[in-house]
Amino acid sequence: MKILPLSLLIGTTLAMTMGAAPALASSQGNNDKQPQVFEAELVSIKSHDEFFDNIKKHCGKAYQGTVTVDNAGGDGFANKTLIMHVRKCSAQQLQIPFHVGDDSSRTWLLSKTGSGLQLKHDHRHQDGSSDKSTMYGGHTLDAGWSQAQSFPADQYSKELFVDLGIPQSNGNTWQMFIYPETFTYRMIRQGREFRVDFDLTKPITPPAAPWGYKD
């Protein structure tokens, strides 16, 4: 076994140490750089975007409506002032309270999901708590149009309707139409139709926040 002189050993060790230093420094520098994180893109198609934006143009405004079709013959909406209020708008959701006289329990939630548009009915009690019949609604299944979209009942709604003892509502499809002078909310199923038309040419003073929400 060949023994190297002490001076040569020291020189070799020093050279190895100095050569490793830049690599170590480079490694530490890379660890200091955190990867940049971006949120996943919320994708949407043109007809859904245009429909959403056509309603969003009315943000902050309220309009009075009239029941134009109700073949059930009920009086729940008779002789009551009907008001829709495009109350709060974001890039992903529109909150549209539907006031029926003094009843401010209903808010339509129109949301972009990345797979289309979703319509939910947020029902509250006057103290703000959720009604047992709440968040039913549906999701678009096709492109629809920039003026009209349909929302067949989703599975949550179907199971809720069964629990509530109204399984006939499993066939519900909700529709919304937005034209320059009229906004329409419509619900249809076999043998049943309900429709309210709102006059967009005559904005009115917006009402107070619906139950469960704050101004």
Side-chain angles (χ1 to χ4, degrees), residues 19-157:
L24 178 60
S26 175
S27 175
Q28 291 175 339
N30 288 337
N31 289 337
D32 290 339
K33 294 181 180 179
Q34 297 298 322
Q36 196 167 3
V37 179
F38 298 94
E39 290 187 6
E41 183 178 0
L42 182 68
V43 296
S44 190
I45 63 174
K46 183 178 179 182
S47 57
H48 293 162
D49 286 338
E50 290 179 346
F51 177 81
F52 188 94
D53 290 342
N54 282 338
I55 299 177
K56 189 177 180 180
K57 291 175 184 176
H58 296 272
C59 199
K61 297 181 180 179
Y63 305 95
Q64 191 165 333
T66 304
V67 175
T68 52
V69 180
D70 187 358
N71 64 0
D75 60 357
F77 295 84
N79 302 316
K80 294 180 181 178
T81 301
L82 308 179
I83 298 173
M84 65 164 284
H85 178 199
V86 188
R87 178 177 171 272
K88 188 174 181 180
C89 310
S90 70
Q92 294 182 224
Q93 186 181 81
L94 306 179
Q95 298 178 4
I96 311 172
F98 175 37
H99 300 266
V100 180
D102 295 330
D103 185 342
S104 298
S105 64
R106 303 169 177 85
T107 299
W108 301 322
L109 302 177
L110 183 65
S111 306
K112 291 184 177 183
T113 66
S115 298
L117 297 174
Q118 179 189 67
L119 173 65
K120 286 290 186 176
H121 299 73
D122 184 2
H123 283 214
R124 305 290 186 101
H125 296 292
Q126 196 163 4
D127 65 0
S129 61
S130 293
D131 189 89
K132 62 181 180 180
S133 173
T134 191
M135 299 309 288
Y136 61 84
H139 197 282
T140 56
L141 299 180
D142 53 28
W145 294 270
S146 58
Q147 299 86 14
Q149 293 291 335
S150 294
F151 308 88
D154 58 26
Q155 191 60 35
Y156 167 80
S157 304

Side-chain angles (χ1 to χ4, degrees), residues 4-11:
L4 297 175
L6 179 60
S7 60
L8 181 59
L9 285 173
I10 294 174

Side-chain angles (χ1 to χ4, degrees), residues 152-200:
D154 58 26
Q155 191 60 35
Y156 167 80
S157 304
K158 292 177 180 179
E159 296 187 19
L160 174 65
F161 292 149
V162 170
D163 289 342
L164 295 174
I166 50 172
Q168 65 273 21
S169 294
N170 283 10
N172 283 8
T173 293
W174 297 271
Q175 297 177 324
M176 285 183 167
F177 304 82
I178 178 71
Y179 292 100
E181 296 185 354
T182 307
F183 173 85
T184 297
Y185 169 87
R186 184 183 186 221
M187 188 283 293
I188 55 173
R189 64 171 180 264
Q190 186 173 5
R192 178 76 172 99
E193 181 179 1
F194 174 79
R195 173 173 175 159
V196 185
D197 293 328
F198 297 87
D199 185 354
L200 300 182

